[in-house]
Amino acid sequence: TSSTSGLTVGTHTLTATYAGDFNFESSSSNMVSEVITGPPTATVLNAVNPNPAQSLQAVTMTATVTSATTVPTGDLTFLAGSTVLATAPVGANGVATATVSTLRAGTYSITAVYGGSTEFAASTSNALSETVLGVGTTTLLAASPNPAAPGQTITLTAQVSGAQSGIPLLGFVLFKDGGTTIGTANVTTNGVASLGISSLLTGTHILTATYQGAPD
């Protein structure tokens, strides 16, 4: 028989080994799992700011972990659904803060998970919804030649510009003659979408180009 108080929080696999003597061979016992539970903790996700945010904008998450005894030690992991965003140490006041700049346009369910320590049990926070908006864009359209002859090929060029640099423009542009769609074109890496048409008849045509947006 042996007693110990040195086991930390977690699951421990215990075995006993008999060393043997002059008359008996050594042997090892079966394995027994011993679960050590620490004092319960509570984790609260206090804030996610700013909300809403722009795509790839810095977003700061703040959470607090507490227990009935002392302030827990260890790390808090911030997640968007099941995706890990960041890990931050719990401070002396029980608060952990992390900032990320990886969220693209969409709606995210953010949680904070305290992983526990050798003395404290793990806990998961409430969820906060974070909305990330797409980056604003402007679209300028040019037509060449203008004026043109009936049936002549006219090149429509749309220049799409993003309000935030460093984010590539994707997607496509929809071209219309009044309310009639006359074609589409993919946006290239420099933000340009071009379409050639030769179907316009004599008269004045009100042409528009609409950028259809993208995940960012």
Side-chain angles (χ1 to χ4, degrees):
T1 300
S2 177
S3 298
T4 181
S5 59
L7 296 182
T8 58
V9 173
T11 301
H12 301 265
T13 300
L14 307 179
T15 57
T17 300
Y18 172 58
D21 62 13
F22 290 110
N23 296 313
F24 297 95
E25 294 181 355
S26 62
S27 61
S28 296
S29 72
N30 54 302
M31 294 184 293
V32 173
S33 292
E34 174 72 16
V35 178
I36 305 297
T37 58
T41 63
T43 299
V44 175
L45 181 58
N46 306 110
V48 181
N49 289 311
N51 190 8
Q54 295 293 325
S55 180
L56 300 184
Q57 183 180 359
V59 174
T60 299
M61 304 164 290
T62 303
T64 303
V65 57
T66 59
S67 76
T69 54
T70 60
V71 176
T73 58
D75 293 325
L76 274 175
T77 299
F78 296 92
L79 301 100
S82 59
T83 302
V84 174
L85 298 177
T87 299
V90 178
N93 57 354
V95 176
T97 300
T99 300
V100 296
S101 303
T102 56
L103 296 178
R104 297 183 180 274
T107 301
Y108 300 86
S109 179
I110 308 296
T111 56
V113 177
Y114 172 61
S117 68
T118 57
E119 299 176 0
F120 295 94
S123 58
T124 300
S125 76
N126 54 301
L128 292 180
S129 180
E130 170 71 7
T131 300
V132 180
L133 305 175
V135 175
T137 61
T138 58
T139 302
L140 297 177
L141 176 63
S144 181
N146 187 12
Q152 183 177 358
T153 298
I154 300 170
T155 300
L156 304 180
T157 303
Q159 175 69 60
V160 184
S161 301
Q164 183 173 334
S165 62
I167 302 177
L169 289 165
L170 304 172
F172 65 95
V173 169
L174 180 69
F175 295 91
K176 287 187 175 183
D177 176 8
T180 302
T181 298
I182 55 177
T184 62
N186 291 327
V187 178
T188 61
T189 54
N190 59 357
V192 174
S194 297
L195 177 70
I197 57 172
S198 57
S199 58
L200 298 184
L201 303 178
T202 301
T204 299
H205 298 264
I206 305 301
L207 306 176
T208 57
T210 303
Y211 175 56
Q212 298 298 295
D216 289 326

